């Protein structure tokens, strides 16, 4: 105190202000962590209907996926019917009563999502929202919708190419304005609705997505249930880490875990990398017929915790050696996750991978936990790590040195 007495008042105020607890900005109202749930497209595509959505909601509860964090049940394309003379869009015969369906999903403690686009038609050529943005947004809110995926599709031909045939820059401005329009229409409803942009990453959407109210934006074209597609998408995420933050996420597309011909190693790698990338975790598989080993991947709590880390920092690509890539993600409290992924088609015996801790900014033996076996693992410099083709080692270091 004696010291304080001799300090000039201005300096004293400065010190006190600097030491006061920092006023934290409030967490975003929607998508403070990447949205988790299920979407109908990857497995059911146009075969989605009211019954299938109810079954998916039931299964999210029965399988424990809801308890693991999967909350959104998202209806993708092909629910739309025709507009009437007042411009009101009706559902088609597969969805007899959308409000009743939303009530059912909500009664399970889940949330419900829907799909449209800024053009006249969706990608599957169903009715979209051009000229009816406010009306549609209000209808979604009245139904109790919690999530909208808004897919560019026919807006390209309907508006961009028509209004600005030889002017790419103007086409992009029109596209951004269309996304802004629906962003504002959703906001005007007063209902918290997650806004998901789907325009395949055009015009560096990660730079302007937040300004149109987007909570997530697709960074690539459509994912397919085969390794090359999953890996191409992983590759396209390099350099995007900076743009992810609570409320605003890069979306490398919905999960294909359990679909197509992905092996268990590939499913594990796909899921691990989406968690590293702070990606939305929207399962896209046939929930009523899910194999136990697929469920075990989708409900691995330790891996989900990486995805949902409250700091919201996406992993960045650190280095590769031979066909093995290393990615690093900073976690809350100074912890770190490291993913070591064999992207090659062989077990890497011919060119053994050795861990280079310095390239990860680490020094000395690191006490880690392998998130797929749950076992402790010490990481030492230059240690050899052998991984099967397309398999991954995902570890969490609580106190990195
Ligand atoms: C586009 C999207 C997909 C899906 C389909 C539906 O291809 O990228 O995710 O929504 O449309 O028609």
């Amino acid at each position: 105190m004696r010291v304080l007495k001799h300090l000039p008042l201005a300096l004293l105020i400065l010190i006190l202000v600097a030491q006061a607890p920092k006023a934290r900005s409030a967490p975003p109202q929607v998508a403070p962590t990447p949205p988790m749930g299920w979407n109908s497209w990857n497995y059911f595509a146009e075969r989605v209907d009211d019954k299938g959505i109810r079954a998916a909601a039931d299964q999210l509860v029965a399988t424990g996926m809801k308890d693991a964090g999967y909350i959104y049940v998202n209806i993708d394309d092909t629910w739309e019917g025709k507009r009437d003379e007042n411009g009101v869009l009706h559902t088609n015969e597969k969805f007899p009563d959308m409000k009743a369906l939303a009530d059912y999903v909500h009664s399970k403690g889940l949330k419900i999502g829907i799909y449209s686009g800024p053009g006249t038609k969706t990608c599957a050529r169903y009715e979209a929202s051009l000229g009816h943005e406010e009306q549609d947004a209000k209808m979604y809110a009245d139904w109790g919708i919690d999530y909208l995926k808004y897919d560019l599709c026919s807006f390209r031909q309907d508006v961009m190419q028509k209004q600005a045939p030889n002017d790419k820059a103007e086409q992009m401005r029109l596209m951004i304005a269309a996304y802004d329009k629906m962003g504002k229409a959703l906001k005007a409803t007063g209902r918290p609705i997650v806004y998901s942009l789907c325009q395949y990453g055009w015009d560096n959407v990660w730079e302007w997505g937040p300004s149109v109210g987007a909570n997530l934006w697709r960074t690539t074209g459509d994912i397919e249930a085969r390794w090359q597609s999953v890996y191409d998408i992983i590759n396209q995420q390099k350099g995007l880490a900076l743009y992810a933050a609570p409320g605003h996420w890069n979306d490398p597309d919905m999960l294909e875990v359990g679909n197509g011909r992905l092996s268990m190693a590939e499913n594990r790698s796909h899921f691990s990398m989406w968690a590293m990338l702070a990606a939305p975790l929207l399962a896209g598989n046939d929930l009523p017929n899910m194999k136990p080993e697929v469920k075990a991947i989708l409900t691995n709590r330790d891996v989900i915790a990486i995805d949902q880390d409250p700091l919201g920092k996406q992993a960045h690509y650190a280095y590769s050696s031979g066909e093995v890539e290393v990615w690093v993600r900073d976690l809350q409290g100074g912890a770190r996750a490291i993913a070591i992924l064999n992207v090659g088609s062989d077990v890497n015996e011919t060119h053994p991978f050795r861990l280079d801790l310095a390239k990860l900014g680490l020094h000395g033996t690191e006490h880690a936990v392998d998130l797929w076996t749950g076992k402790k693992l010490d990481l030492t410099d230059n240690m050899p790590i052998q991984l099967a083709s397309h398999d991954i080692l995902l570890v969490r270091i609580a106190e990195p040195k």
Side-chain angles (χ1 to χ4, degrees):
M1 274 306 140
R2 224 172 343 125
V3 183
L4 289 185
K5 223 162 103 187
H6 297 293
L7 281 177
L9 186 64
L11 186 58
L12 187 61
I13 291 171
L14 263 181
I15 292 171
L16 290 177
V17 168
Q19 286 181 344
K22 296 252 175 339
R24 291 213 186 161
S25 51
Q29 208 190 1
V30 292
T33 59
M36 288 178 68
W38 176 88
N39 173 293
S40 59
W41 186 257
N42 282 356
Y43 185 81
F44 291 100
E46 65 285 348
R47 286 170 290 131
V48 63
D49 61 9
D50 177 283
K51 205 164 140 252
I53 293 296
R54 285 172 194 253
D58 293 347
Q59 288 303 309
L60 286 181
V61 176
T63 57
M65 286 177 72
K66 178 193 162 198
D67 289 342
Y70 294 86
I71 292 299
Y72 290 95
V73 183
N74 291 352
I75 307 166
D76 208 278
D77 204 352
T78 80
W79 63 268
E80 311 86 343
K82 296 275 163 256
R83 286 190 194 276
D84 63 22
E85 62 281 8
N86 298 318
V88 178
L89 179 59
H90 293 268
T91 53
N92 61 38
E93 62 290 347
K94 296 191 295 165
F95 289 88
D97 186 342
M98 198 60 96
K99 173 86 175 81
L101 180 57
D103 288 348
Y104 182 80
V105 171
H106 288 149
S107 77
K108 302 266 156 185
L110 299 164
K111 292 177 188 282
I112 186 162
I114 210 160
Y115 168 100
S116 188
T120 56
K121 297 278 181 239
T122 66
C123 289
R125 312 287 311 151
Y126 284 67
E127 216 47 42
S129 294
L130 185 65
H132 297 275
E133 294 81 0
E134 285 86 6
Q135 194 174 17
D136 286 359
K138 190 164 175 318
M139 180 176 70
Y140 304 148
D142 290 345
W143 282 342
I145 296 293
D146 307 293
Y147 186 120
L148 173 70
K149 172 174 166 184
Y150 207 48
D151 197 347
L152 190 65
C153 280
S154 82
F155 188 79
R156 286 173 286 189
Q157 304 89 55
D158 295 340
V159 177
M160 290 158 69
Q161 286 160 14
K162 215 174 256 170
Q163 289 187 19
N166 301 311
D167 187 345
K168 265 263 132 54
E170 179 57 15
Q171 289 188 6
M172 295 304 140
R173 271 194 293 279
L174 289 165
M175 174 180 70
I176 295 171
Y179 278 98
D180 188 43
K181 188 163 197 183
M182 183 49 96
K184 291 206 166 82
L186 291 175
K187 205 158 180 213
T189 68
R191 185 176 173 85
I193 298 176
V194 174
Y195 187 29
S196 155
L197 271 46
C198 179
Q199 42 79 276
Y200 337 113
W202 286 14
D203 203 36
N204 293 349
V205 59
W206 38 88
E207 289 172 358
W208 53 267
S211 73
V212 299
N215 301 110
L216 57 149
W217 46 82
R218 279 270 296 277
T219 55
T220 68
D222 288 12
I223 194 168
E224 290 168 35
R226 51 188 183 88
W227 176 252
Q228 194 57 47
S229 164
V230 171
Y231 179 60
D232 286 347
I233 289 182
I234 293 172
N235 232 341
Q236 291 173 62
Q237 309 313 305
K238 291 173 180 165
L240 298 188
L242 267 180
Y243 301 96
H248 308 288
W249 308 103
N250 291 305
D251 174 9
D253 208 354
M254 304 167 298
L255 295 167
E256 291 281 17
V257 173
N259 286 343
R261 293 216 191 120
L262 292 175
S263 69
M264 281 306 138
E266 290 168 348
N267 280 318
R268 243 188 331 267
S269 295
H270 172 20
F271 194 65
S272 303
M273 285 308 298
W274 263 233
M276 288 293 281
L277 294 166
L281 296 181
L282 295 169
N285 57 325
D286 178 10
L287 293 180
N289 295 300
M290 174 163 57
K291 291 191 184 130
E293 57 270 35
V294 169
K295 180 174 116 178
I297 291 175
L298 289 172
T299 55
N300 182 318
R301 303 271 180 137
D302 293 333
V303 179
I304 292 172
I306 302 294
D307 182 73
Q308 296 288 302
D309 185 80
L311 201 57
K313 286 211 162 188
Q314 177 175 327
H316 68 267
Y317 163 73
Y319 73 99
S320 53
S321 162
E323 293 187 297
V324 177
E325 289 193 1
V326 186
W327 292 69
V328 186
R329 179 168 177 182
D330 289 332
L331 303 169
Q332 198 177 42
R336 210 168 291 175
I338 297 175
I340 304 170
L341 175 64
N342 179 3
V343 305
S345 50
D346 300 317
V347 173
N348 53 320
E349 249 168 340
T350 44
H351 23 251
F353 172 80
R354 289 184 174 274
L355 186 63
D356 188 338
L357 286 179
K359 286 198 172 129
L360 305 175
L362 296 170
H363 313 279
T365 303
E366 303 288 338
H367 304 305
V369 176
D370 176 333
L371 301 186
W372 287 109
T373 63
K375 293 203 177 114
K376 286 186 181 159
L377 176 71
D378 277 350
L379 299 180
T380 55
D381 200 28
N382 214 30
M383 75 190 277
I385 294 176
Q386 202 183 73
L387 293 164
S389 166
H390 305 168
D391 209 345
I392 196 162
L393 174 67
L394 179 65
V395 299
R396 183 178 190 278
I397 306 171
E399 291 173 15
K401 292 190 279 259

